[in-house]
Amino acid sequence: MTSSTFRIGGEIPVHRIGFGAMRLATEAGAARKASIEVARRAVDLGVTLIDTAYMYGWGANEELLVEALYPYPDDLLIATKVAIERPGPGEEAPVNGRPEFLREQVEQALRRLRVERIGLLQMHRLDPKVPLADQLGTLREFQLDGRIGHIGLSEVTADELREAQQIVDVASVQNRYSVLDREHEAVLDACDAAGIAFLPWRPVHPAASSGAAEIEAVATELGATAAQIALAWLLGRSPVVLPIPGTASLDHLAENVAAAGLRLSAEQRERLDRITLPPAG
């Protein structure tokens, strides 16, 4: 039977369906109030892993979670990400892995989240202009002084993961992955072998995607939604997979969390496994 929990870094137990906070509106007014309600409802439904990042509103998403959930339940892990610099008007957000920038970002995240220790701190992207040892070594300094619990990566290759593992204990990897997007299969396999949490972002396919018909067929058979089938497939793919679907809808939130109770038959899983995927890129 598929386990409903996983220990990140071998230490932090979380329910395997988490919540991605990126879609929560942070501007003042009714939209913000609705976002706070969604965040609180996620915790009420048993979510114990919430993923955020400095890039999501340039700190505003983290501050929203504080307003919604602080003081945090003892079993709640709020993971955040650093290494993206706020851009100027009309510019793309640049990756910045310089040690001085990372130190500033971690310090700011600790203040915004009102914590003395971030349980899981992830590199939003690796900076190709900065030696990996310098980037991860900076986070390791915070880990040694107790202000970071575990270190994670995002959007890395299998080779980058192996290199990172020579520098720090990697607790998580957050790459794009779903039943209809398996470009990072090798990375997931490496995480599976090493017991590293794999947090697929964009875990639910767009409704118009190629291959959606087979997912809809399985959903009809189980009386579920297509999104629930996509999440159930991920949960059955490997015990290290922790989907973090994001939504601003209370109804969709409830559907996503309920997917943990779905069980695909071997025949249904085989049909989904056989879906022909578009070429990577």
Side-chain angles (χ1 to χ4, degrees):
M1 179 176 291
T2 302
S3 174
S4 62
T5 61
F6 180 83
R7 288 186 176 271
I8 294 178
E11 177 187 34
I12 307 174
V14 295
H15 292 152
R16 288 185 59 206
I17 289 190
F19 177 71
M22 182 179 71
R23 295 187 184 182
L24 296 181
T26 58
E27 63 270 18
R32 185 180 184 88
K33 291 180 181 179
S35 293
I36 289 172
E37 186 178 3
V38 169
R40 290 174 176 168
R41 183 57 178 157
V43 172
D44 290 343
L45 291 172
V47 169
T48 52
L49 169 61
I50 294 180
D51 175 78
T52 183
Y54 169 65
M55 185 181 177
Y56 305 161
W58 311 114
N61 195 270
E62 294 168 323
E63 292 167 346
L64 175 80
L65 294 176
V66 171
E67 183 177 345
L69 301 171
Y70 189 86
Y72 309 118
D74 291 340
D75 62 348
L76 178 63
L77 172 63
I78 296 181
T80 194
K81 298 187 287 295
V82 297
I84 301 292
E85 189 173 353
R86 187 169 187 169
E91 298 176 352
E92 289 190 12
V95 177
N96 189 337
R98 297 195 310 272
E100 62 273 19
F101 181 76
L102 294 178
R103 291 189 189 100
E104 179 185 2
Q105 285 218 310
V106 174
E107 295 281 7
Q108 290 177 354
L110 287 162
R111 287 195 294 270
R112 278 193 300 269
L113 291 170
R114 299 188 192 176
V115 295
E116 296 181 354
R117 181 177 187 266
I118 297 171
L120 178 62
L121 192 286
Q122 303 165 99
M123 289 288 291
H124 209 142
R125 295 291 186 273
L126 298 179
D127 189 341
K129 303 181 298 298
V130 179
L132 186 58
D134 290 351
Q135 298 178 69
L136 298 183
T138 301
L139 300 190
R140 177 66 173 157
E141 292 171 8
F142 282 97
Q143 190 177 45
L144 289 173
D145 72 14
R147 287 184 288 173
I148 289 176
H150 295 278
I151 296 170
L153 309 172
S154 182
E155 282 303 283
V156 293
T157 65
D159 286 342
E160 288 170 334
L161 173 57
R162 281 189 289 270
E163 184 181 355
Q165 287 176 284
Q166 302 302 310
I167 303 168
V168 296
D169 291 329
V170 178
S172 69
V173 169
Q174 189 173 145
N175 278 22
R176 190 188 69 252
Y177 186 84
S178 73
V179 63
L180 297 179
D181 182 356
R182 305 178 207 173
E183 178 182 348
H184 296 293
E185 198 86 52
V187 181
L188 172 51
D189 288 341
C191 289
D192 189 27
I196 295 170
F198 185 88
L199 283 59
W201 62 270
R202 199 183 296 160
V204 176
H205 61 281
S209 297
S210 174
E214 192 65 72
I215 297 171
E216 291 285 358
V218 174
T220 298
E221 293 166 10
L222 292 179
T225 66
Q228 287 177 320
I229 297 304
L231 292 170
W233 182 87
L234 284 169
L235 292 174
R237 170 61 179 81
S238 165
V240 306
V241 173
L242 312 179
I244 46 171
T247 182
S249 161
L250 288 170
D251 289 342
H252 290 163
L253 170 67
E255 288 177 4
N256 292 340
V257 174
L262 284 177
R263 295 294 178 267
L264 303 176
S265 69
E267 185 270 340
Q268 289 167 334
R269 172 162 287 279
E270 183 179 354
R271 284 158 53 194
L272 297 176
D273 289 345
R274 288 200 309 261
I275 290 174
T276 301
L277 302 178

